Amino acid sequence: MAARGPAGSVTIEDVARAAGVSRAAVSKVIRNAYGVSPAMRERVTAAIEALGYRPSVSARGMRGKTFTLGIEIPELSNPFFPMLLTGATAALSGSPYQLIIAPADPAHSEGYRAIQALVDRQVDGVIAVSPLVEPAWLSELSATVPVVMIGRHDRAEGYDTVVSDDEAGARQVMRHLFELGHRDIAHLTGEGARTRPGSGVPQAIRLEAYRTAMQEAGLGDRISIARAADVTADAHRTALRLLSGAERPTAIFACHDEPALGVLRAVADAGLTADDVAVAGYDGIEIAAHPGISLTTVHQDGERMGRLAVELLLERIAGRTEARHEVVEPDLVVRSSTRPPRPRGAATRLGALGDH
Amino acid sequence: MAARGPAGSVTIEDVARAAGVSRAAVSKVIRNAYGVSPAMRERVTAAIEALGYRPSVSARGMRGKTFTLGIEIPELSNPFFPMLLTGATAALSGSPYQLIIAPADPAHSEGYRAIQALVDRQVDGVIAVSPLVEPAWLSELSATVPVVMIGRHDRAEGYDTVVSDDEAGARQVMRHLFELGHRDIAHLTGEGARTRPGSGVPQAIRLEAYRTAMQEAGLGDRISIARAADVTADAHRTALRLLSGAERPTAIFACHDEPALGVLRAVADAGLTADDVAVAGYDGIEIAAHPGISLTTVHQDGERMGRLAVELLLERIAGRTEARHEVVEPDLVVRSSTRPPRPRGAATRLGALGDH
DNA sequence: CATGCTGTGTAGATTGATCTCCATCGCTCG
DNA sequence: CGAGCGATGGAGATCAATCTACACAGCATG
């Protein structure tokens, strides 16, 4: 409400003096500890209010809790991550905990630095999102502070995880494309550690699901995997290459929505439409629903994932020790970026005209 | 690089023991303070390395600096704000400072809680972004800790500001629309404090620029201001109302890109196109450049603004006391969402057909 | 040879809160 | 009437760093 003066430098000592009690008494009132008479609580509360006292988190951190949860996030420019934050902050509203975010500059040593920064600040719990932070390192870390990893499918002992069922989601996409009649389906994904089988990274699992689906459909020889070092940044270029190649796919399944947007751009730049090349993404970012984009995608409930992560953390702080691994079900959302392929022999407009 | 064990509980005391020196000596080495022989520096550095020591930010905070800068951000879902963060983190890379972000749940008492949380954590500087935090409160705060406000045009004494020249940007939009031949231009904006004249809030300044431009063009009687309590959420609905009214504007200028996306959606839903209604936004978010959107907008260099904010903060920490107010020039980016209005008497397609 | 200076290292106070004892007070009960 | 007890409040240690004041060695100078 009204601007209560900022922290200034009023300490617990000042409050104690103002209320005519000891520091310990004030501390008890703040912490809702045992051994406080209603009268004293009254006096102390009044003094706190009058002086605008706010406990120093640093001083608290010296002995125990900081009432701070930290979340480390790579590339906030990808709208999926803010969804996590929305859920996480919502889950904390009303609790005494405050969420702080450490951005992980993907250019440098990724998540490590950011998570370290959070630990240095003695957060009471850490949510990790960068997919490339080693599980062993997280395990070691989880001996010190509760940890939840969002997104990666490691079923670790020491820390909890919240994931979306990436395999099921990717299979839904493939089934949808098959049902439309597509056979030449390319998959656009990243390179290196992000797609190593068994890494548990979403991209890797979606890639594997793509491969399996193709094989199961008897299309093993048509598997086409386009890789880009930085999928998001290079999606457009990579897609252009794919589209101008001799064997143009009739559908492109991108491992995320952001690269899928680049693919859509490439399709437009190549003078093609959704009737020529179907495009599907993954994540379910909001803009995908816009009529100008209308991207078929798999919606992951990011808010729910963020909320779950916070809840798991609070449980850990409350004392739980055995690991929990939550899986959220994704939903395929079909939009107009995926349509049936043109009938054979009608690969281009001119061809179609000549045929009739 | 390799996973150095996380903070665990190795203190300066442990390092001192391992190196065979006093705590004070270790402290000096860490802080690069005067009075350290090369030999001792060597020994201490080795011990720090060997033990994987990391100074406790809390303990540091007890006496002075935390090497932490805090930025408070409302609605991260709006892609403009992540741009600020990109610039801010870039400006800090290589410095000993770490940026932490406090999300300001716009549902509650807005920025206050978030900024308070940062101050409670004794950050060495605060970047405020929420437009509705009172200047007086910020001034008071700035007596305690350096403050930079991003976005709002208050030329305060106590704190610095970084703004984009919203008046110039809005005028560019209006000139562009006039040049295309538009006369019936509506402005979509928010309500209440956000648009109060003299508040210095971007929305207010853009609104004023719209009004002035219309008046200067002799179109004072055609001024049409559509307001929504939550512009972003209600843009679609409000635009639909605007489009179905008796006096449909030929152009809509939205105060931000996010609402402009909603307007575009409304235009499509009403069965209209850019030839019927021109749409312009403001901010220059990335998706505006996508061919499926192609939104005319005013590009604000968010990265630069974030970088500037950090630089100002570091200057303040280094000792500057007089206020600085940086203005970044915006650029109009014309895309296909703004086209000339249909010639008179050709307001609808049917009409156009009948006319020829 | 006493004095002063410089360069190096340490002792110990300090910071703001928490938390473990411990003291006190007012009762009840044997 | 003294012991015991529950309820309440306080004294003081503690946490991990910083920083001032000081000690001390080595060396030059008058």
Side-chain angles (χ1 to χ4, degrees):
Chain A
M1 208 71 60
R4 146 126 44 68
S9 52
V10 27
T11 75
I12 199 171
E13 178 77 50
D14 302 325
V15 175
R17 218 183 345 257
V21 296
S22 70
R23 286 190 335 256
V26 179
S27 177
K28 281 188 190 174
V29 171
I30 304 172
R31 292 174 293 128
N32 255 314
Y34 176 84
V36 181
S37 67
M40 185 177 80
R41 161 165 328 239
E42 180 71 20
R43 279 229 308 275
V44 170
T45 309
I48 289 177
E49 199 63 30
L51 298 178
Y53 164 74
R54 305 204 41 117
S56 149
V57 174
S58 290
R60 281 185 155 176
M62 295 288 295
R63 307 192 39 116
K65 297 167 68 75
T66 55
F67 294 99
T68 309
L69 302 185
I71 181 166
E72 164 269 327
I73 292 219
E75 30 168 0
L76 274 160
S77 52
N78 180 336
F80 176 68
F81 297 116
M83 288 167 65
L84 298 175
L85 295 177
T86 306
T89 42
L92 282 179
S93 102
S95 90
Y97 289 89
Q98 167 72 29
L99 185 72
I100 66 174
I101 307 159
D105 186 347
H108 292 64
S109 39
E110 293 264 359
Y112 292 109
R113 221 193 83 110
I115 295 178
Q116 229 6 307
L118 292 171
V119 174
D120 289 347
R121 280 154 190 79
Q122 283 175 276
V123 293
D124 296 333
V126 171
I127 301 176
V129 181
S130 278
L132 295 189
V133 175
E134 292 176 26
W137 192 83
L138 282 183
S139 285
E140 200 181 335
L141 178 63
S142 67
T144 311
V145 57
V147 174
V148 176
M149 157 58 84
I150 293 187
R152 206 174 51 195
H153 296 242
D154 10 301
R155 302 192 78 82
E157 288 291 314
Y159 56 91
D160 306 332
T161 59
V162 175
V163 297
S164 173
D165 190 338
D166 291 291
E167 169 157 7
R171 278 180 175 276
Q172 284 182 53
V173 171
M174 294 306 288
R175 188 176 326 124
H176 166 63
L177 292 175
F178 288 148
E179 281 172 7
L180 285 176
H182 290 280
R183 295 294 173 268
D184 290 307
I185 305 171
H187 184 53
L188 173 62
T189 189
E191 280 180 355
R194 275 174 206 278
T195 54
R196 192 168 38 230
S199 64
V201 176
Q203 284 182 22
I205 293 179
R206 294 169 197 174
L207 168 59
E208 222 41 55
Y210 160 79
R211 214 177 238 140
T212 310
M214 288 295 276
Q215 236 130 26
E216 286 177 3
L219 301 169
D221 55 331
R222 305 211 194 171
I223 286 175
S224 160
I225 298 165
R227 289 171 181 276
D230 180 343
V231 228
T232 303
D234 302 336
H236 178 247
R237 188 157 21 118
T238 309
L240 275 181
R241 182 157 42 77
L242 213 50
L243 294 174
S244 63
E247 308 214 329
R248 190 170 80 203
T250 65
I252 300 179
F253 169 26
C255 63
H256 288 295
D257 281 349
E258 287 273 289
L261 293 177
V263 175
L264 287 178
R265 202 148 48 84
V267 169
D269 289 355
L272 303 170
T273 71
D275 290 316
D276 303 300
V277 183
V279 177
Y282 202 114
D283 281 352
I285 65 179
E286 207 176 328
I287 194 72
H290 197 280
I293 305 288
S294 193
L295 174 69
T296 292
T297 183
V298 177
H299 182 257
Q300 305 189 81
D301 194 338
E303 287 196 27
R304 192 161 130 73
M305 292 173 75
R307 200 166 50 238
L308 275 173
V310 162
E311 284 168 9
L312 290 177
L313 225 39
L314 293 179
E315 280 179 27
R316 283 274 190 182
I317 291 173
R320 174 167 58 77
T321 54
E322 73 288 5
R324 281 186 54 187
H325 302 285
E326 296 286 338
V327 179
V328 172
E329 285 311 312
D331 291 312
L332 178 69
V333 182
V334 175
R335 300 208 179 88
S336 55
S337 70
T338 48
R339 305 199 196 141
R342 290 183 188 281
R344 288 162 191 278
T348 67
R349 281 167 203 211
L350 286 176
L353 284 175
D355 263 19
H356 93 80
Chain B
M1 206 77 53
R4 147 125 47 67
S9 52
V10 27
T11 74
I12 201 172
E13 177 78 49
D14 303 324
V15 175
R17 219 185 342 259
V21 296
S22 70
R23 286 190 335 257
V26 178
S27 177
K28 279 190 191 174
V29 171
I30 304 173
R31 292 174 292 129
N32 257 313
Y34 175 83
V36 182
S37 66
M40 185 176 82
R41 156 158 292 123
E42 179 71 20
R43 280 228 307 277
V44 170
T45 310
I48 289 177
E49 200 63 29
L51 298 178
Y53 165 74
R54 306 208 35 121
S56 150
V57 174
S58 290
R60 283 186 155 175
M62 294 288 295
R63 308 190 39 114
K65 297 167 67 74
T66 54
F67 295 98
T68 308
L69 301 185
I71 181 167
E72 164 269 326
I73 294 223
E75 31 167 0
L76 274 162
S77 52
N78 180 337
F80 176 68
F81 297 115
M83 290 168 65
L84 297 176
L85 294 177
T86 306
T89 42
L92 282 180
S93 103
S95 90
Y97 288 88
Q98 167 71 28
L99 185 73
I100 65 175
I101 307 158
D105 187 346
H108 293 64
S109 38
E110 293 262 0
Y112 292 110
R113 224 194 80 108
I115 295 178
Q116 230 3 309
L118 291 171
V119 173
D120 289 347
R121 280 155 190 79
Q122 284 174 280
V123 293
D124 296 333
V126 171
I127 301 176
V129 182
S130 279
L132 295 190
V133 175
E134 292 176 27
W137 193 81
L138 283 183
S139 284
E140 199 181 336
L141 178 62
S142 66
T144 311
V145 58
V147 175
V148 175
M149 158 58 86
I150 293 187
R152 206 175 51 196
H153 295 240
D154 11 299
R155 303 191 76 82
E157 287 291 314
Y159 56 90
D160 306 331
T161 59
V162 175
V163 297
S164 174
D165 189 340
D166 291 292
E167 169 157 7
R171 278 179 177 273
Q172 285 181 54
V173 171
M174 294 306 288
R175 188 176 326 124
H176 165 63
L177 292 174
F178 288 149
E179 282 172 6
L180 284 177
H182 289 281
R183 295 293 172 267
D184 289 309
I185 306 171
H187 184 54
L188 173 62
T189 189
E191 281 180 356
R194 274 172 207 278
T195 53
R196 191 167 38 230
S199 65
V201 175
Q203 284 182 25
I205 294 179
R206 295 170 196 173
L207 169 59
E208 223 41 54
Y210 159 80
R211 215 177 239 138
T212 311
M214 289 293 276
Q215 237 129 25
E216 287 177 3
L219 300 168
D221 55 330
R222 306 214 195 169
I223 286 175
S224 160
I225 297 164
R227 290 171 178 274
D230 179 342
V231 228
T232 303
D234 302 337
H236 179 247
R237 188 155 22 115
T238 309
L240 275 181
R241 183 158 41 78
L242 213 51
L243 294 173
S244 64
E247 309 215 327
R248 191 169 79 204
T250 66
I252 300 179
F253 169 26
C255 63
H256 288 295
D257 282 349
E258 288 272 290
L261 293 176
V263 174
L264 287 178
R265 201 146 52 81
V267 169
D269 289 355
L272 303 171
T273 72
D275 290 315
D276 303 300
V277 183
V279 178
Y282 202 114
D283 282 351
I285 66 179
E286 207 175 332
I287 194 71
H290 197 281
I293 305 290
S294 194
L295 174 68
T296 292
T297 184
V298 176
H299 182 258
Q300 306 189 82
D301 194 341
E303 286 195 29
R304 191 161 132 73
M305 292 173 77
R307 202 166 48 238
L308 276 173
V310 163
E311 285 168 9
L312 291 177
L313 225 39
L314 293 180
E315 282 179 25
R316 283 274 189 181
I317 291 173
R320 175 166 57 77
T321 53
E322 74 286 8
R324 283 187 52 188
H325 301 285
E326 296 286 338
V327 179
V328 173
E329 285 310 312
D331 291 311
L332 178 70
V333 181
V334 175
R335 300 208 180 89
S336 55
S337 70
T338 47
R339 306 201 195 140
R342 289 183 189 282
R344 288 161 192 276
T348 68
R349 282 169 202 211
L350 286 175
L353 285 174
D355 262 16
H356 92 79

